[in-house]
Amino acid sequence: MSANSKLTIATHALAWMALNERLGGKFATSEQIAKSVATNPVVIRRLMSEMAKSGLIETQRGPGAGWRLARAPEDISLWDINEALGAEAAFALHRNEPSESCPVARGIRPALTPVYARVDDAIRRELAGTRLADVLRDTLTVSGA
Amino acid sequence: MSANSKLTIATHALAWMALNERLGGKFATSEQIAKSVATNPVVIRRLMSEMAKSGLIETQRGPGAGWRLARAPEDISLWDINEALGAEAAFALHRNEPSESCPVARGIRPALTPVYARVDDAIRRELAGTRLADVLRDTLTVSGA
DNA sequence: GGCAAATGTAACTGATTTGGTTACAGTTCT
DNA sequence: AGAACTGTAACCAAATCAGTTACATTTGCC
């Protein structure tokens, strides 16, 4: 990616749903969320579809359809969201096979793999420590709502 | 990009240079490095140019030209390399401005900004803890050289 | 002085990705 | 039966990326 904003959009959508439910709303529609995020409803549906497959949200079909959270906002971390979206590792190894005949080329990938694994672990720990409820609370504090 | 392999290529190049210098070589050329990485010399030159601007390596021009490390491999961390390459944050905020009229939309970006800053800090700490000398040592151990 | 070896960088290409959009089939409430 | 939605395919335009060609520039060496 250039930089990845999927997590931002998905978290925005879930925070909107959490507030909606708190205010007594039932199912949120892609049109409502798209309006808040300022994008196309199909973009939202694509994200929601991925999160529904991971069990983060529940789908209702037919008239009055939409989605609602499958768990409490305290029980959904940003890592859960990122994982549901099929997050990729922060750093990738070579696209092409490096040279077989060079000792550096032969050994560099096994040498970097554990480093990149530690980076991903660090990201996971950090995201797991922030939950949807935290984000919603901070969001409403900032926006004065 | 999809996943970012710039750091991998650049680290590969610097590890090659470190070994080259240890074996008595002087300046490394883009052609030599490109052969080990299995890519085009211009791709290497572009990376090296960025790292030279950040003072990680030194350029020699004219015949016998190339680059050499400006510091000892023990003094170059993966974070130094990543920074020299103009690393982007792992997660980005919305590309488009979200709706002004929605409290969630107004507050979500200030709420996520410190979370993403902590993620970037975690990445920085992890990468700063691994140095070029470590990578070269592990690389040679693995490749049996 | 002039040749030759290399970097630095612009410019172009093809492949891939992304967000946005239209379209429509499927589901289910009333 | 009709209407309100999701789910998903298909297509488009913009952006990005690796690879490539080309060439101006630098500078050691004869």
Side-chain angles (χ1 to χ4, degrees):
Chain A
M1 77 187 100
S2 36
N4 187 3
S5 61
K6 265 177 92 174
L7 178 60
T8 295
I9 306 298
T11 303
H12 182 156
L14 294 184
W16 194 96
M17 288 166 65
L19 179 61
N20 180 56
E21 291 178 26
R22 185 191 289 178
L23 298 177
K26 287 287 194 184
F27 292 94
T29 70
S30 60
E31 196 159 346
Q32 295 172 317
I33 300 172
K35 189 168 246 177
S36 172
V37 174
T39 184
N40 191 287
V42 176
V43 173
I44 300 299
R45 275 182 248 160
R46 286 199 278 238
L47 287 178
M48 302 308 265
S49 177
E50 293 187 78
M51 290 195 282
K53 275 176 190 145
S54 302
L56 238 51
I57 59 179
E58 288 168 352
T59 301
Q60 172 72 22
R61 304 209 52 172
W67 305 271
R68 74 175 161 207
L69 300 178
R71 297 189 237 153
E74 292 77 16
D75 263 358
I76 298 178
S77 75
L78 291 205
W79 175 251
D80 295 329
I81 303 173
N82 201 44
E83 208 176 23
L85 299 175
E88 289 184 4
F91 299 104
L93 296 175
H94 310 62
R95 298 173 176 233
N96 303 332
E97 291 287 314
S99 162
E100 291 273 324
S101 59
C102 170
V104 175
R106 277 204 312 276
I108 187 84
R109 293 195 295 184
L112 285 179
T113 298
V115 178
Y116 291 167
R118 286 198 299 274
V119 169
D120 287 334
D121 274 354
I123 295 174
R124 182 180 51 67
R125 274 196 304 274
E126 203 55 58
L127 288 181
T130 303
R131 287 162 299 179
L132 183 58
D134 304 326
V135 173
L136 180 58
R137 185 197 60 230
D138 293 350
T139 296
L140 297 180
T141 300
V142 167
S143 75
Chain B
M1 60 185 106
S2 38
N4 187 4
S5 61
K6 264 176 94 174
L7 178 60
T8 296
I9 306 298
T11 303
H12 182 156
L14 294 185
W16 194 96
M17 288 166 64
L19 179 61
N20 180 55
E21 291 179 26
R22 185 191 290 178
L23 297 178
K26 288 284 195 188
F27 292 94
T29 70
S30 61
E31 196 160 348
Q32 294 171 318
I33 299 173
K35 189 168 247 177
S36 172
V37 174
T39 185
N40 191 287
V42 175
V43 174
I44 300 299
R45 274 183 248 161
R46 285 199 279 238
L47 288 178
M48 302 308 266
S49 179
E50 294 188 79
M51 291 195 282
K53 276 177 190 145
S54 301
L56 239 50
I57 59 178
E58 288 168 352
T59 301
Q60 172 72 22
R61 304 208 53 173
W67 307 272
R68 72 174 162 210
L69 300 178
R71 297 189 238 153
E74 292 77 17
D75 263 358
I76 298 178
S77 75
L78 292 205
W79 174 251
D80 295 331
I81 303 173
N82 200 44
E83 207 176 24
L85 299 174
E88 290 183 5
F91 299 105
L93 296 175
H94 310 63
R95 298 172 176 233
N96 304 332
E97 290 288 313
S99 162
E100 290 274 325
S101 59
C102 169
V104 175
R106 279 204 310 276
I108 187 82
R109 293 195 294 184
L112 286 179
T113 297
V115 179
Y116 291 167
R118 286 198 301 273
V119 170
D120 287 335
D121 274 354
I123 294 173
R124 182 181 50 68
R125 275 195 304 273
E126 203 55 58
L127 288 182
T130 303
R131 287 161 299 179
L132 183 58
D134 305 325
V135 173
L136 179 59
R137 185 197 60 230
D138 294 350
T139 296
L140 296 180
T141 301
V142 167
S143 74

